[in-house]
Amino acid sequence: MINTKYILVLFLSFLVISCSEKEKHSFPTEKRFWDIKDYEAASLELNYGYEVDEKLPSFDDPETSIIVKKLVDHENYKIVLNDNELGIKHRNGIAEKFFVRWKEMTNIYQAMDLQDNYLYGKEQLAVYEFGLGLQLRYFKLGNDVILENSDDPNSVNYHVNSNIQNLIGNFINYLDNINEEKAYSDEGKIMISNAIDTYFTDLVKLYPNADYRAMIRKIDLMKAKSESQDIKNSLTKLKQLIDSKNTQE
C-alpha cells in the first residue's frame, strides 16, 4: 500500500509547482486602471521576462487575454489626461511618461514565424493603436503648455506647428504597416483599416489646417501597393477628408 504521507508530499509538491508556474508572470489584472508604474513593470516583464519559446499573452488565449486587454486599454491614460481638474503641466508630464512606456511596448509583439507572418499581429496592432490615441493627447498637451507659458502666443507658433508636423510624421510612420500587410491576418488588415478610420480622422479634425502633403503622398503610395480593399477604402476616405479641409481654407 502506498504510504499516505508519501501521497501528501507529492500532492503538496504539485501545488507548489502549480502556484509557482501561475505566479511566474505577475500582472495587476485586478486593477481597474493601470498607472505608469504598472506599465513600467508590465513592459519590463513582457519584453524580458519571457523565454524565447514561451508564448506571450494574446487575445486568443482565454487565460492571458486579460493581460493584453489591460495593456492596450486607452482608458488607462484617458482617465488622467482627460481630467481637466488636473493641471496641464502635470498631465503633460504623465503623458510623456506614458509615451516612453508605449515606445517600449512596441518591441513586445514583433516575433514572426517561418513564413514571415506575425505571430502576434493583432496584439502588435493594438499596441500601435494605443500609441495613436495617446499621441493625439500628448502632443496637444505639450502645445497647450507652450502656449500657456508664453507672453505672446504668436511668438511660439513655430514650435507649436513643428510639434504638430512631428505628430503627423508619427502617424505617417504607422502607414508603413501597410508595406507588411501580407504578414497580417485578415483580422489584422481590418484593424489597420479601422485605425485609419478612427485615429487619422481624429487627427485631421483636430488639426484641419496642418500641412498634410507628406501624408497625401504616403496615402497614394500605400493605396497603390495595398491589396486589401478595406485598407484602400480607408485611405480613400482619409484623403477625401484632408482634401475637404483644404478646400474650406
Side-chain angles (χ1 to χ4, degrees), residues 186-222:
D186 290 339
E187 290 178 277
K189 293 169 188 174
I190 292 175
M191 288 180 69
I192 294 174
S193 172
N194 290 340
I196 295 171
D197 290 341
T198 302
Y199 301 103
F200 282 70
T201 297
D202 289 345
L203 172 70
V204 176
K205 289 182 177 179
L206 186 59
Y207 302 110
N209 299 318
D211 184 355
Y212 290 100
R213 286 175 295 180
M215 182 172 285
I216 288 291
R217 288 194 294 271
K218 189 71 169 183
I219 289 172
D220 289 338
L221 290 171
M222 293 299 97

Side-chain angles (χ1 to χ4, degrees), residues 1-11:
M1 180 180 291
I2 299 177
N3 191 294
T4 304
K5 290 184 178 180
Y6 178 71
I7 295 176
L8 181 60
V9 170
L10 284 177
F11 177 70

Side-chain angles (χ1 to χ4, degrees), residues 29-30 34 58 61-71:
T29 54
E30 75 288 347
W34 281 10
S58 66
D61 184 348
E63 293 186 5
T64 62
S65 62
I66 183 62
I67 298 171
V68 190
K69 291 175 182 177
K70 283 289 185 181
L71 183 72

Side-chain angles (χ1 to χ4, degrees), residues 28 61 71 95 114 129 136 148-150 171 180 199 224 232:
D61 184 348
L71 183 72
L114 298 179
E129 287 182 28
L136 287 173
E148 186 179 74
N149 290 339
S150 173
F171 270 59
E180 300 183 86
Y199 301 103
K232 285 177 178 288

